[in-house]
Amino acid sequence: MADSILTRKRDLIYLVFFITHLPVMLAFDLTAYYPINIKPLWMGDLRTWYVATYGDRFFYNPPAWFGVLTFLELVYHLPLTLWAIPALVRNDPRIPLALLVFGMETSITTLVCLAEMWSWEELRPEQRGLSGLGGMYGGYLALGVFMTLDCYARLDQWIARQKGLVPVSKKKL
């Protein structure tokens, strides 16, 4: 039971994240890629509610570069998520490498989105704050930074053991 996902708390957090991330991508973030004739009406209703509630300009008046980020979500986040869910359950040894890259990419792109969002003067305080977009994008950024640091430390420890080096990260894993 030592390798059970239930005993690997950080991996369990990542598993819950990816299990949540998958339906969010499929039912919301990536729906612009669906042919209109197969896109369920509730997806449009969900987006309308979200924009009215949170004022997220990325989903009604995005900057020119935002399409690149949604494309990245389609070609990188979606396949990685589909791989990561079973990989986390089976404790695949490639998890730290894959999630280091994912965490770094997610941190950088989310930080850019946060900076853009903070420039939107029309947002009300509750839309900008922790209960609004600041909390959603901020939480996503925090997870990305944590994942990056955690996976860097895991790889650093492993490389140090393999090569007889002193790890840069002091964390005992």
Side-chain angles (χ1 to χ4, degrees):
M1 186 84 176
D3 282 348
S4 167
I5 187 69
L6 298 176
T7 63
R8 296 178 285 118
K9 301 303 182 204
R10 290 164 293 165
D11 287 351
L12 183 59
I13 291 167
Y14 302 150
L15 178 64
V16 169
F17 164 75
F18 283 113
I19 288 171
T20 305
H21 190 46
L22 183 61
V24 170
M25 284 189 292
L26 294 175
F28 191 79
D29 294 351
L30 300 175
T31 60
Y33 291 103
Y34 296 174
I36 195 72
N37 56 341
I38 66 164
K39 184 175 170 180
L41 292 176
W42 65 264
M43 289 181 177
D45 294 342
L46 177 62
R47 185 170 291 218
T48 300
W49 169 83
Y50 174 79
V51 168
T53 303
Y54 296 103
D56 192 337
R57 203 189 290 176
F58 291 127
F59 293 97
Y60 72 90
N61 187 21
W65 50 263
F66 190 72
V68 173
L69 299 188
T70 57
F71 184 72
L72 186 61
E73 193 167 5
L74 176 68
V75 300
Y76 177 65
H77 283 228
L78 182 59
L80 181 108
T81 297
L82 292 170
W83 174 83
I85 292 170
L88 282 159
V89 171
R90 70 175 178 270
N91 199 16
D92 191 300
R94 296 169 292 189
I95 282 291
L97 180 58
L99 297 192
L100 174 68
V101 175
F102 180 87
M104 181 64 74
E105 178 273 328
T106 297
S107 297
I108 292 168
T109 56
T110 304
L111 183 60
V112 169
C113 290
L114 263 172
E116 173 71 19
M117 183 271 295
W118 284 326
S119 75
W120 300 340
E121 295 177 5
E122 73 274 9
L123 292 180
R124 298 184 312 270
E126 65 272 13
Q127 292 174 315
R128 185 181 304 275
L130 289 178
S131 63
L133 296 176
M136 284 188 272
Y137 287 112
Y140 199 65
L141 175 61
L143 181 71
V145 169
F146 178 81
M147 186 182 289
T148 300
L149 295 173
D150 173 48
C151 291
Y152 175 85
R154 291 184 196 199
L155 291 170
D156 179 51
Q157 297 280 327
W158 182 82
I159 291 167
R161 281 192 307 274
Q162 298 298 313
K163 299 296 182 180
L165 302 170
V166 176
V168 174
S169 60
K170 304 297 182 208
K171 184 177 180 182
K172 175 90 170 123
L173 299 177

